[in-house]
Amino acid sequence: RASPASDVYKRHLKIRPDIPIVLCTGYNRHISESSARALGVRSFLRKPVQIKQLAESIRAALDKAPGPV
């Protein structure tokens, strides 16, 4: 079963596919990195995460964005 969050990702991408999603989560049995990426999540991080790693993931997601963000 899909998580409620996956519905949010799908709706977000339908409305604004140009804005990348960076998912930062603790343990979550409903979503894995591969399933998150299949939903369109641009970057997937597991908590705890270092600020530098978060910043690099955001930068990479923005750099890969298909249009103006």
Side-chain angles (χ1 to χ4, degrees), residues 20-35:
I21 298 171
V22 176
L23 176 62
C24 185
T25 184
Y27 172 76
N28 188 332
R29 63 189 164 137
H30 296 289
I31 193 159
S32 66
E33 181 172 1
S34 60
S35 62

Side-chain angles (χ1 to χ4, degrees), residues 9-47:
Y9 310 145
K10 289 176 190 174
R11 282 186 274 145
H12 165 79
L13 290 169
K14 210 176 220 184
I15 296 167
R16 291 295 306 265
D18 58 316
I19 298 177
I21 298 171
V22 176
L23 176 62
C24 185
T25 184
Y27 172 76
N28 188 332
R29 63 189 164 137
H30 296 289
I31 193 159
S32 66
E33 181 172 1
S34 60
S35 62
R37 289 193 185 277
L39 289 169
V41 171
R42 193 83 44 85
S43 181
F44 183 90
L45 300 168
R46 289 240 186 243
K47 293 177 189 173

Side-chain angles (χ1 to χ4, degrees), residues 38-58:
L39 289 169
V41 171
R42 193 83 44 85
S43 181
F44 183 90
L45 300 168
R46 289 240 186 243
K47 293 177 189 173
V49 62
Q50 299 293 319
I51 294 297
K52 183 177 185 206
Q53 183 184 14
L54 177 60
E56 289 170 350
S57 292
I58 292 170

